[in-house]
């Protein structure tokens, strides 16, 4: 699997305004059990710094922009999220870090499971050990 996979949602805007739509199982490759959004960020403070054992997520920057570092333990790639209809797939066992938030950034994340702290790997050395 490619380290960077984008999910593009249909844009159905017209003269009245913009509209982006996504359906679970059709555009989003899982049943959405949870969503959260990050906004009013401290622009200087990066976040994330973890991987998940099983959780699958898709992150959309629905306003502003931020960067996401993706790391599978062997390869790293940094991408810019700045398109409302283009989401980044975050599969399990990918170490990810968000940074360079614009002041107005709103990052919407769709998740395949309810919140479970036991699914987090928050130590990079442990991540690499599990990965190998
Ligand atoms: P945290 O994992 O530190 O956020 P980030 O990945 O952006 O660095 O989450 C911040 C706090 O919110 C932490 O105490 C866990 C809690 N939290 C939930 O309770 N439910 C959730 O769905 C998420 C994403 C976080």
């Amino acid at each position: 699997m490619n380290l960077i996979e984008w999910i593009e949602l249909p844009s159905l805007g017209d003269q009245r305004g913009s509209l982006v739509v996504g359906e679970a199982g059709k555009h989003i490759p899982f049943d959405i059990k949870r969503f959260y959004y990050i906004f009013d960020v401290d622009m200087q403070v990066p976040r994330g710094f973890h991987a998940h054992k099983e959780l699958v997520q898709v992150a959309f920057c629905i306003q502003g922009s931020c960067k996401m570092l993706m790391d599978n333990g062997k390869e790293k790639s940094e991408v810019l999220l700045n398109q409302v209809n283009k989401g980044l797939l975050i599969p399990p066992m990918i170490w990810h870090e968000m940074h360079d938030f614009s002041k107005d950034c709103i990052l919407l994340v769709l998740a395949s499971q309810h919140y479970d702290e036991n699914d987090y790997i928050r130590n990079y050395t442990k991540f690499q050990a599990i990965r190998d």
Side-chain angles (χ1 to χ4, degrees):
M1 191 188 247
N2 293 331
L3 183 53
I4 304 302
E5 289 211 10
W6 294 103
I7 291 181
E8 207 155 327
L9 299 179
S11 280
L12 307 175
D14 56 28
Q15 66 284 358
R16 297 168 299 166
S18 303
L19 191 159
V20 172
V21 63
E23 293 185 23
K26 191 170 170 187
H27 309 102
I28 306 301
F30 49 80
D31 279 334
I32 300 156
K33 283 213 181 144
R34 174 168 58 101
F35 62 88
Y36 56 93
Y37 33 97
I38 295 167
F39 61 104
D40 269 352
V41 287
D42 182 332
M43 295 163 72
Q44 319 307 330
V45 182
R47 44 194 309 162
F49 296 92
H50 61 253
H52 289 281
K53 295 174 193 162
E54 293 182 4
L55 188 72
V56 189
Q57 301 185 98
V58 185
F60 291 92
C61 203
I62 58 167
Q63 182 173 281
S65 63
C66 71
K67 288 181 183 161
M68 182 95 69
L69 176 82
M70 302 279 279
D71 176 353
N72 63 11
K74 292 197 171 74
E75 189 191 345
K76 292 181 191 191
S77 184
E78 188 173 80
V79 292
L80 177 70
L81 282 78
N82 67 349
Q83 284 178 262
V84 286
N85 67 326
K86 213 172 136 189
L88 180 65
L89 183 69
I90 309 172
M93 293 308 291
I94 299 291
W95 186 267
H96 52 285
E97 302 173 7
M98 292 93 88
H99 62 100
D100 280 11
F101 294 96
S102 64
K103 189 64 208 153
D104 61 347
C105 178
I106 302 177
L107 188 69
L108 170 67
V109 184
L110 310 178
S112 65
Q113 302 294 333
H114 294 151
Y115 178 75
D116 176 9
E117 187 56 38
N118 292 321
D119 188 66
Y120 280 73
I121 304 166
R122 294 191 184 272
N123 177 297
Y124 190 76
T125 309
K126 192 176 157 198
F127 163 70
Q128 282 183 309
I130 296 172
R131 193 77 239 203
D132 289 339

